[in-house]
Amino acid sequence: MSNLEIRDLHVSVQTEQGTKQILKGVDLSIGEGETHAIMGPNGSGKSTLAYAIAGHPKYAVESGSVKLDGEEVLTMTVDERARAGLFLAMQYPVEIPGVSVSNFLRTAKTAIDGAAPPIRGWIKDLDSSMSQLRMDKSFRERNVNEGFSGGEKKRNEILQLELLKPKFAVLDETDSGLDVDALKIVSEGVNRAKANTGLGILLITHYNRILKYIQPDFVHVFVAGRVVEQGGPELAVRLENEGYDRFLSNVNVGS
């Protein structure tokens, strides 16, 4: 059984005012096939956690550990983390001019697996995933995310998730900017990936609406750089009804 263990993680970032500590001792354990939702107010450090796990150079890990199946992730390069089985679906997917979706995906799959996938089977899998995500086949030859709508960018992120087959996926506000139809399609893609591979999911969101489609096993409330409460799906409903005021009375949310 694969496992992603985050222990006492402290992370800072450089700002115009100097070094600012964002994460202040995060503890989290995600097992194979589990879905963990992180919810919290703006500025609480949710995206910082995502990018620290992925290895973004802007974020400096001061202490703590992130272990994937017992191996320390924090000593790995970004590409080594991907090959080990980590995946990040970004809140704001970037455009890559001059690189087609099909070339990008096959190159990434080759780098992760160590060998190029057989072309006939690869095209079949690509077309099948694109069809299920309601993506026209013309997207195969379009440059990655260039000229894509917000919903198309998010579908393209989930297309990568389905084809690259990581062990653990961090979904950073994948629901932001999606209408109801796109939200359902994207959620179905995440659920397929989990059903097909036993994917472990760390889902960062502000809203309960995506959790109606992607059922979480655990919900964690994130405030001021740490987990302050944990529960099941019912906690997300309570947060939607009550907000975060009860957690903020003695906390500086901007920390």
Side-chain angles (χ1 to χ4, degrees), residues 165-190:
K165 296 181 171 56
K167 294 179 180 178
F168 292 93
V170 180
L171 309 181
D172 187 14
E173 297 194 34
T174 297
D175 52 336
S176 65
L178 298 183
D179 61 27
V180 174
D181 291 334
L183 177 64
K184 185 176 180 181
I185 291 167
V186 163
S187 298
E188 288 172 348
V190 174

Side-chain angles (χ1 to χ4, degrees), residues 2-6 30 66-74 76 80-86 167-168:
S2 287
N3 190 266
L4 183 65
E5 290 275 355
I6 302 168
I30 306 169
V66 179
K67 292 186 177 180
L68 175 55
D69 296 338
E71 296 293 325
E72 181 57 70
V73 168
L74 298 178
M76 299 179 185
E80 287 172 340
R81 298 180 198 208
R83 286 196 293 271
L86 289 178
K167 294 179 180 178
F168 292 93

Side-chain angles (χ1 to χ4, degrees), residues 153-219:
K153 288 181 179 180
K154 295 302 178 71
R155 293 186 202 196
N156 193 40
E157 292 285 283
I158 304 308
L159 177 65
Q160 296 170 41
L161 174 66
E162 287 201 74
L163 293 172
L164 299 181
K165 296 181 171 56
K167 294 179 180 178
F168 292 93
V170 180
L171 309 181
D172 187 14
E173 297 194 34
T174 297
D175 52 336
S176 65
L178 298 183
D179 61 27
V180 174
D181 291 334
L183 177 64
K184 185 176 180 181
I185 291 167
V186 163
S187 298
E188 288 172 348
V190 174
N191 290 332
R192 274 195 307 275
K194 179 179 176 178
N196 291 334
T197 66
L199 177 72
I201 300 169
L202 181 61
L203 173 60
I204 296 170
T205 183
H206 283 292
Y207 307 108
N208 184 48
R209 64 175 193 153
I210 192 172
L211 303 183
K212 296 175 181 177
Y213 298 104
I214 302 174
Q215 185 78 9
D217 300 294
F218 305 95
V219 175

Side-chain angles (χ1 to χ4, degrees), residues 47-48 52 61 110 140 151 189-190 199 204 208-209 217 222 224 233 239:
S47 290
T48 295
V61 176
T110 300
R140 290 191 313 195
V190 174
L199 177 72
I204 296 170
N208 184 48
R209 64 175 193 153
D217 300 294
F222 214 71
L239 291 172

Side-chain angles (χ1 to χ4, degrees), residues 224-235:
R226 58 174 64 91
V227 176
V228 297
E229 187 168 330
Q230 303 179 80
E234 71 284 347
L235 179 55

